[in-house]
Amino acid sequence: MTTVFVSRDGNGKISLVSAGPQELAQEAIDDQDPAVLAYLADPLGLNDSFPTLYKWQLWLAALELEPPIYKSAVLQTIEAFPGMTLQEKEAIRIMIEDAQEYHRDDPRIDLLAAAMGITVPDQMDSLWRWAAQIQAK
């Protein structure tokens, strides 16, 4: 066990870890504390947030998967979803085809993931972060 010194942001989340005190307001904490380990694994907090995706980023990333996922196939899958009203299916179709950008926290994204054959949330999270790196040329 080693003591480290942490600073926290306004929400109580660790924003700095140091071996020695950098300021008087720092808190002494065990270096194996889960909050310290989480900060050290992802100091920029990239794993806690998802960038907005342009729809073309998501669909280009889907084409790079093995096997590739085609938007037309996903739309057909959604059309065949059991237990959904026509209105719910149309809302998802509009989101897929007409939205200019996607937000990971939109609950319809999980339905989209299921239609893409992605059943584990971490897989969609990884695809999302990967797709965010695709740049227009």
Side-chain angles (χ1 to χ4, degrees), residues 7-20:
S7 296
R8 297 184 184 267
D9 65 15
N11 296 322
K13 186 173 177 180
I14 293 177
S15 60
L16 174 72
V17 174
S18 60

Side-chain angles (χ1 to χ4, degrees), residues 20-40:
Q22 304 295 310
E23 56 186 67
L24 293 175
Q26 283 189 304
E27 167 189 354
I29 191 170
D30 181 4
D31 69 340
Q32 297 303 304
D33 183 281
V36 172
L37 295 174
Y39 174 82
L40 293 174

Side-chain angles (χ1 to χ4, degrees), residues 82-109:
M84 292 181 73
T85 67
L86 289 175
Q87 187 175 1
E88 290 169 327
K89 291 176 184 180
E90 180 66 5
I92 294 170
R93 187 200 63 76
I94 290 169
M95 186 264 304
I96 290 172
E97 292 195 314
D98 297 336
Q100 295 305 305
E101 52 189 37
Y102 299 137
H103 302 274
R104 180 65 183 95
D105 59 353
D106 183 332
R108 294 170 297 194
I109 293 296

Side-chain angles (χ1 to χ4, degrees), residues 61-69 127 130:
L63 288 175
E64 295 298 321
L65 296 174
E66 191 54 49
I69 296 173
L127 175 63
W130 181 48

Side-chain angles (χ1 to χ4, degrees), residues 53-126:
L53 288 185
Y54 293 109
K55 69 179 177 182
W56 58 264
Q57 287 175 302
L58 179 64
W59 293 109
L60 286 177
L63 288 175
E64 295 298 321
L65 296 174
E66 191 54 49
I69 296 173
Y70 299 96
K71 183 166 62 167
S72 60
V74 170
L75 290 168
Q76 289 175 348
T77 300
I78 288 170
E79 193 61 36
F81 268 174
M84 292 181 73
T85 67
L86 289 175
Q87 187 175 1
E88 290 169 327
K89 291 176 184 180
E90 180 66 5
I92 294 170
R93 187 200 63 76
I94 290 169
M95 186 264 304
I96 290 172
E97 292 195 314
D98 297 336
Q100 295 305 305
E101 52 189 37
Y102 299 137
H103 302 274
R104 180 65 183 95
D105 59 353
D106 183 332
R108 294 170 297 194
I109 293 296
D110 292 330
L111 289 172
L112 174 61
M116 295 171 81
I118 299 171
T119 57
V120 179
D122 287 347
Q123 290 175 322
M124 188 62 172
D125 294 348
S126 294

